[in-house]
Amino acid sequence: MWNSQESKAGKALSTRLDHRNPLVFDTHELGRRPGAMLRVTRTIDAPGSPAPFGVEGVIGVPDGAPVELEIRLESVMEGVLVTGTARASAKGECVRCLEPLELALEAGFQEMFSYPDADDRGRSAEPADDAEDDEDRLYLEDGMFDLEPVLRDAVVLALPMQPVCQEDCQGLCSECGVRLTDDPDHRHDAVDIRWAALQGLADSIQDGEKDELSGAEPSVDEKQEK
């Protein structure tokens, strides 16, 4: 059992967190007494790597834009329960008219960060977790946790997948590209292609008749006049 615990702790602490990172939070002040609570407010710059803070090419929080965080840390038997809200301004492009847009974003999140020895402290009487569940679990590292992956997922889920500049945006004219919201009376005369084909045939017949008349022999009256 001791070897198993040591292995999990070593795995959890294999990557050291940088306490200078604004998205890394220290829980030492909270302590490990179940029921203890700590509130934290912080404004950070939206990270642009390793991926955009949003949906690439559609909408997201620009790199370096301010993100306001309100977080509650709660000490529980297995670890620290993190609950919070992120507020920021997202920018993107309307999917209907392609105009730039900006909207206020509010994303809520909640995540458990387990102690490296959580299995032995509070889960020893429960059946062992599946391997997949164990891989998905997030751990505290030296009493700290990195909020970035949790925050990134929360922002993506809070953003609209089909952003529009306004709910009744009419989009663009399919023929000339005019923004229909700016010109609601804009229209083109619709031509039925079936009638257009018949009109073309009629025009060709009329042209042929004109050619025949222009090359016809003079009538009897015309000859007598001559």
Side-chain angles (χ1 to χ4, degrees):
M1 178 64 70
W2 184 86
N3 289 335
S4 174
Q5 176 181 337
E6 183 180 41
S7 175
K8 289 183 178 180
K11 178 181 179 181
L13 300 176
S14 59
T15 303
R16 297 289 179 178
L17 296 179
D18 185 355
H19 69 277
R20 295 169 296 182
N21 184 334
L23 283 171
V24 170
F25 292 80
D26 194 329
T27 68
H28 285 100
E29 184 180 348
L30 177 68
R32 296 185 63 163
R33 180 175 60 83
M37 183 183 299
L38 182 65
R39 296 184 182 275
V40 180
T41 59
R42 185 178 296 181
T43 299
I44 59 103
D45 294 336
S49 61
F53 218 51
V55 183
E56 187 173 8
V58 180
I59 190 169
V61 181
D63 182 14
V67 180
E68 297 178 0
L69 301 175
E70 293 183 3
I71 301 174
R72 183 179 72 242
L73 310 179
E74 297 177 77
S75 179
V76 296
M77 184 66 70
E78 296 85 2
V80 175
L81 180 64
V82 180
T83 306
T85 303
R87 296 182 179 86
S89 180
K91 295 183 178 181
E93 187 177 83
C94 177
V95 296
R96 296 178 187 171
C97 68
L98 307 182
E99 287 292 312
L101 60 84
E102 185 172 352
L103 57 84
L105 169 72
E106 182 170 307
F109 53 87
Q110 185 174 73
E111 188 65 55
M112 169 70 75
F113 288 87
S114 300
Y115 297 122
D117 58 351
D119 286 347
D120 300 305
R121 296 186 74 236
R123 304 173 61 89
S124 58
E126 299 180 7
D129 293 337
D130 293 335
E132 294 183 0
D133 293 338
D134 191 62
E135 290 179 358
D136 292 338
R137 190 182 306 174
L138 299 177
Y139 287 93
L140 292 168
E141 301 180 16
D142 290 338
M144 298 184 293
F145 65 87
D146 185 358
L147 189 65
E148 181 173 342
V150 175
L151 183 58
R152 189 179 295 278
D153 289 346
V155 167
V156 171
L157 290 175
L159 289 170
M161 295 297 101
Q162 298 287 321
V164 292
C165 58
Q166 56 191 64
E167 290 299 326
D168 59 348
C169 176
Q170 300 299 308
L172 302 176
C173 174
S174 59
E175 295 189 36
C176 65
V178 168
R179 188 169 183 263
L180 298 177
T181 304
D182 296 334
D183 188 4
D185 296 327
H186 177 82
R187 61 176 52 84
H188 296 271
D189 294 333
V191 178
D192 192 317
I193 59 175
R194 295 170 297 181
W195 291 111
L198 291 175
Q199 183 62 45
L201 179 60
D203 292 341
S204 64
I205 293 174
Q206 290 178 0
D207 292 340
E209 290 177 347
K210 290 178 181 179
D211 292 339
E212 291 177 0
L213 290 173
S214 63
E217 291 293 329
S219 63
V220 176
D221 293 339
E222 290 176 342
K223 291 179 179 180
Q224 290 178 351
E225 290 177 358
K226 292 180 178 180

